[in-house]
């Protein structure tokens, strides 16, 4: 899925920017509503247009915020998957280390057995030469 936000900025920065814009728009809307209630004049149509614009901007900013929150949730899910995979890798690494230790022990035992077998073979060969 293509990101709706630039990759240069962290998701935290994007959300903070959106929340700052959201706060400004909300203040503007409340200021417009306050001014409209104080000055009920023939400019009500213009004021209504400003309020509509402010509400539309607030709705657009809310959509951006929802997208950013969705991205955060996706990142959290990916981070959880990454952590699970890291734990699995750690377990597999430990299994590999255990197998390596077992193989080294088996190699040591086989090396000793081979050494003993060579000694016996040498003794047998010498005994056979002595009988001749």
């Amino acid at each position: 899925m293509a990101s709706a936000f630039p990759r240069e900025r962290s998701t935290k920065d994007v959300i903070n920017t959106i929340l700052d814009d959201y706060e400004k728009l909300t203040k503007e809307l409340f200021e417009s509503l306050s001014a409209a209630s104080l000055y009920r004049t023939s400019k009500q149509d213009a004021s209504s247009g400003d309020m509509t614009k402010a509400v539309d901007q607030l709705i657009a900013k809310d959509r951006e915020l929802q997208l950013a929150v969705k991205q955060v949730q996706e990142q959290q899910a990916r981070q959880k998957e990454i952590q699970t995979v890291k734990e699995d890798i750690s377990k597999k690494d430990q299994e590999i280390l255990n197998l390596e230790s077992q193989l080294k022990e088996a190699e040591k035992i086989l090396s000793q057995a081979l050494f003993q077998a060579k000694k016996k073979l040498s003794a047998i060969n010498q005994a056979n030469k002595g009988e001749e």
Side-chain angles (χ1 to χ4, degrees):
M1 180 178 152
S3 176
F5 306 104
R7 280 284 172 208
E8 308 86 51
R9 296 177 57 200
S10 71
T11 305
K12 180 180 178 180
D13 291 340
V14 169
I15 289 177
N16 283 334
T17 300
I18 292 170
L19 288 174
D20 289 343
D21 292 346
Y22 200 86
E23 179 182 13
K24 289 174 193 170
L25 290 170
T26 304
K27 284 180 182 178
E28 288 174 16
L29 178 62
F30 283 120
E31 288 170 3
S32 292
L33 289 171
S34 178
S37 67
L38 291 175
Y39 305 107
R40 296 210 186 253
T41 64
S42 62
K43 293 187 177 183
Q44 188 173 7
D45 291 336
S47 177
S48 174
D50 288 344
M51 280 188 273
T52 302
K53 181 181 175 187
V55 169
D56 289 343
Q57 289 175 332
L58 200 57
I59 290 170
K61 201 50 71 174
D62 185 63
R63 286 185 188 124
E64 284 182 51
L65 182 60
Q66 294 305 318
L67 284 173
V69 168
K70 183 178 179 183
Q71 185 180 27
V72 167
Q73 291 169 337
E74 290 170 358
Q75 288 175 346
Q76 287 174 335
R78 275 189 240 120
Q79 187 61 37
K80 188 175 180 181
E81 289 175 20
I82 288 169
Q83 188 60 36
T84 301
V85 169
K86 282 182 177 180
E87 290 169 2
D88 289 345
I89 288 171
S90 179
K91 289 176 186 175
K92 296 298 180 187
D93 281 348
Q94 190 58 47
E95 289 176 17
I96 289 170
L97 290 173
N98 290 340
L99 287 173
E100 178 185 26
S101 175
Q102 291 172 1
L103 286 171
K104 283 182 179 181
E105 183 64 27
E107 178 186 30
K108 181 180 171 186
I109 292 169
L110 288 173
S111 178
Q112 290 171 350
L114 182 61
F115 178 75
Q116 293 298 324
K118 283 181 180 180
K119 275 177 73 175
K120 286 181 182 179
L121 183 60
S122 177
I124 291 172
N125 285 338
Q126 288 211 352
N128 286 339
K129 282 185 184 177
E131 289 180 6
E132 294 177 1

